[in-house]
Amino acid sequence: MSRLRHSTSTAPMFHLRLLRCRFSSISTLPPSRSWSPHAAFAAATERVIAGTLSPEDAHRLFDELLRQATPVPARSLNGFLTALSRAPDTGACRDGPALFNRTRREEAGSRVVSSTIFTYGILMNCCGRTRRPELGLAFFGRVLRMGLKTNVVVATMVLQCLSSAKRTDEAVDILLHRISELGCVPDAFSYSIVLKSLCDDSRSQRALDLLHMWEKERGVCSPNVVTYNTGIHGFFKEGEVSKACNLFHEMVQKGVEPNVVTYSLTIDALCKARAMDKAELFLRQMIDKGVQPNNVTYNVMIHGYSTLGQWKEAGKMFREMTRQGLIPDLVTWTSFMASLCKHGRTKEAAEFFDSMTAKGHKPDLVTYHVLLHGHATEGCFADMINLFNAMATKGILPDRQVFNILIDAHAKHRMMDEAMHIFTGMQGQGVCPDVWTYSTLISALCRMGRLADAMDNFSQMIGKGVQLNTVVYHSLIQGFSTHGDLRKAKELVYEMTNKGIPCPNIAFFSSIMDSLCKEGRVMDAHDIFHLVTDIGLKPNIITFNTLIDGYCLVGEMEKAFGVLDSMVSAGIEADVFTYNTLAYGYCRCGRTDDGLILFREMVQNKPKPTTITYNIILDGLFRAGRTFAAKKMFLEMTETGITKLGAMDVKFDIKILNTMINAMFKVRRREEANGLFAGISASRMVPNASTYSVMIGNLLKEGSVEEAENMFSLMEKSGCAPDSRLINNIIRILLENGDIVKAGNYMSKVDGKSISLEASTTSLLMCLFSSKGKYREQISLLPVNYQFFNGVS
């Protein structure tokens, strides 16, 4: 008895505790007459609708159902499964088909659950909603095996599952040939599913053919506006604008009235095609037809006009939108601001931002990204930092992209101490740097020669498990190559190759060689040339020409011809750029006669001289003080040589005249330079940006500031836009001459897009206006956006 008591009191109690742990409050006693499957499933259904039923709760319900072995009414089960299929994408919803499958696998299942066609329709719908189309098709296979009579819901779900599984051709086959075998007649919804699948598969023409086939059958249903919208959207997505518009007109002719979706789709496509006049026409037609535009319609119109820089029209759309009783949403505001920033109008975007917040709209992170990036691009550091600080006061936590924008802005302006401070603060706030963050820092540090710091960040990046990419390795390889550590550069090349990252190509190394040659470091460039061959890359004509150019720039003509010999030995034929480079090298080092000999060889043989060749020779003659010979050559070109030059595809253009004007300034024959400029129109030519740049730059160098400003005004009046190089050149010359106010006027023209500050200009500003700079007391004379240099050490 004692052993019996022990066995009945200890083991069952232990087992009971295990069951309680597993099933919580569910009883483990024999089947209870009081447990009602109908009531249990009704309660569970209410919890699904309320969003309080967890996956664990759902499984416990079916545990109890199978244990009690009491049949559940089909209506109660179907109601529960329907609620699961319509619930948000939660674990419970995904478990709907799995829960049902338990009743198929376990012995008690067939006794407690009766399977009807309605149940399977619900289950297939649930599979479709949870993106498990193959499971839905498996349920359909079970329906066929069980011999259940199908209905239109199940047939529709089969089409939906096939479409979701990218089995569109099978869906088309069932729709056209086999749906009648299921005892169903296809309806508009069935056709719409297959049409959409074809359009999603970029087969909109096939969808249109199916649509026309459907119309000819004239069955119980006809295509509706949703059907046509599907086809129109498909054609637009594939770039078939004319076909989409034809389908639009076709639906109208057939008596199907377009709705707001139809018009919005059409207007959006026309805006993306920059056909704003046609988009406006569709908008007016839409209103005339009594179809009220919605936020989407006006958003695409505003974005379309903004993208083209047509701010007046975009503003008109804003006003019309509000008159229609529509309130611009955050998407509208942010889209408009992004377009303003993209066109260098960040100040207006900031005003727009203030207007938005004043009207009660709460900007999100995307809005802040747009405006911060705009300020950063235009170099408006004070505005950028103020906006960043404002985020904290409004309780908006900056994300990784915000910090990346700030770091990139400072890094581009060589303000690495500030960039590293932001980088440290970013991590202090729990925001993890990504590959873009590290690549920005490493690239900037390499450009500045701070290779040890760059490698420290590289090691930190690896330690934190951030995925390395091509940009990071390219920055490091370029940094070490540029600063003479080719051993480390080669090591990095092999390292990235071993990690499966593509090795830099020949264009990458040619670019580095070109930069070094322009700095006069041709021997370093030649070392990189050897590195290229060591790692198995094959130099091309650009690589050889770069090295030839480098030796010509430093006057090492024999070595330049030595590279030419190596190029020919490698089976690469010299081109016109090669000969132009050698001719320029001769003229540059005072060996003009040798340049003329090379020029005559080009005239008699291949490659033939080009406009650039003539520019080089004329410039060489002027540099050598052989003005008479240069003028004679110029007159021969203009008077007797035009036909011959035309036959050689040499165009007598403004470039040659620019060369002569510049040469006259260099030999201090300013009056003749002015005469050449004044006579441009007589030569049936028009001054270009280079012409004005030559005139303005030389006038400034001579101290003729007023004349230079008059020339700049003439340039603007002629419709010739100054480029970034000219503006930077003017700013540097004026700063070096101590003319801070006028330099500031030209700095105001920097928009961060077509015109941006060059690194040399930024360096000069830092040197002159830093805490120890020559003009630190006059920093207030600069535009406000540039007064952040104050205090920079």
Side-chain angles (χ1 to χ4, degrees), residues 44-51 53 58 62 75-100 118-132 135-136 139 153 157 160-161:
T45 303
E46 291 298 322
R47 290 184 61 189
V48 172
I49 295 170
L53 185 78
F62 274 74
R75 177 174 289 186
S76 300
L77 176 64
N78 290 347
F80 175 72
L81 292 174
T82 301
L84 283 180
S85 71
R86 295 174 180 172
D89 195 13
T90 63
C93 179
R94 286 193 294 270
D95 277 344
L99 290 168
F100 180 80
F118 301 105
T119 309
Y120 281 104
I122 294 165
L123 289 167
M124 292 175 67
N125 182 41
C126 191
C127 292
R129 286 174 176 268
T130 54
R131 300 180 182 86
R132 292 193 289 176
L135 181 58
F139 278 123
V153 173
M157 289 314 307
Q160 184 71 65
C161 288

Side-chain angles (χ1 to χ4, degrees), residues 647-664:
M648 293 190 298
D649 197 28
V650 176
K651 297 178 181 178
F652 175 63
D653 59 14
I654 193 66
K655 293 178 183 178
I656 294 176
L657 211 50
N658 291 345
T659 300
M660 294 189 66
I661 292 171
N662 194 38
M664 290 297 182

